[in-house]
């Protein structure tokens, strides 16, 4: 009975090394590398795990990877999308509109900081000025005064509005 206990104790201590021992104990034998799969991909192969220090460290063999670059068969040329450029001053995005609605007329008890309220009022004033200028340009276009409408938009610095007026007039 004592011999059996000693045998078990010796075999257990051989498998679990004492922390701080210099040589790591190998637990798993190193299997052979796996062949590539049918789809052409390869998998890293577990070489073995060992207790190093107070933690397990597993080592893998990485498959050989070859990168093959193929030249494009034909080069296609796509036309660049035509954009109107940056939005005019006073044209608000959806986020800015929500910000103005939330903070422009907010009281001191709201969640908007004083700097946020000032910025929201500036955005609101710029949007109102843009809409007023847009109404002026629309009135001039309604009267058939295309050159005056374009000039009015350009004087205010609204390049997209001037472009719209020129498009409307057919130039």
């Amino acid at each position: 009975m004592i011999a059996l206990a000693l045998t078990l104790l010796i075999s257990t201590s051989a498998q679990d090394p004492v922390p701080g021992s210099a040589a790591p104990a190998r637990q798993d034998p190193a299997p052979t590398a796996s062949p590539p799969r049918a789809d052409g991909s390869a998998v890293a192969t577990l070489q073995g795990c060992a207790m190093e220090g107070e933690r397990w460290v597993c080592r893998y063999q990485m498959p050989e990877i070859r990168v093959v670059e193929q030249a494009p068969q034909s080069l296609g040329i796509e036309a660049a999308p035509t954009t109107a450029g940056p939005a005019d001053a006073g044209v608000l995005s959806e986020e800015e509109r929500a910000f103005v609605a939330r903070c422009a007329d907010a009281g001191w008890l709201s969640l908007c900081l004083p700097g946020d309220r000032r910025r929201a009022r500036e955005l609101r004033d710029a949007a109102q000025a843009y809409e007023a200028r847009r109404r002026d340009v629309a009135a001039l276009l309604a009267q058939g005064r295309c050159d005056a409408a374009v000039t009015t938009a350009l004087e205010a610095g609204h390049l997209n509005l001037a472009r719209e007026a020129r498009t409307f007039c057919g130039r």
Side-chain angles (χ1 to χ4, degrees):
M1 183 71 147
I2 295 175
L4 180 64
L6 286 175
T7 307
L8 288 175
L9 182 63
I10 291 171
S11 65
T12 327
S13 64
Q15 290 178 356
D16 296 331
V18 178
S21 63
R26 289 251 172 219
Q27 295 293 325
D28 297 329
T32 60
S34 63
R37 294 184 188 173
D39 62 353
S41 64
V43 179
T45 306
L46 177 67
Q47 293 298 307
C49 292
M51 187 75 153
E52 291 183 7
E54 294 183 5
R55 60 186 178 155
W56 282 99
V57 177
C58 294
R59 305 214 190 283
Y60 292 88
Q61 178 182 3
M62 299 301 292
E64 181 180 326
I65 298 174
R66 293 186 311 174
V67 178
V68 179
E69 293 184 24
Q70 295 178 351
Q73 300 299 329
S74 64
L75 296 176
I77 299 174
E78 295 181 15
T82 57
T83 58
D88 289 335
V91 177
L92 302 179
S93 66
E94 290 295 323
E95 292 173 0
E96 290 173 330
R97 279 189 220 132
F99 176 66
V100 167
R102 187 177 71 246
C103 293
D105 295 323
W108 66 273
L109 194 55
S110 71
L111 296 176
C112 298
L113 297 173
D116 292 340
R117 282 182 256 164
R118 279 191 295 274
R119 178 69 180 139
R121 287 185 201 117
E122 290 170 0
L123 288 172
R124 180 191 60 195
D125 295 343
Q128 289 172 347
Y130 176 77
E131 288 302 320
R133 188 56 60 130
R134 189 170 183 83
R135 281 190 296 274
D136 294 342
V137 170
L140 290 170
L141 289 173
Q143 296 170 2
R145 300 174 50 197
C146 290
D147 290 336
V150 171
T151 303
T152 302
L154 288 175
E155 285 174 352
H158 302 300
L159 300 178
N160 289 336
L161 185 57
R163 192 174 294 120
E164 289 176 20
R166 280 194 181 129
T167 304
F168 180 81
C169 292
R171 295 183 204 179

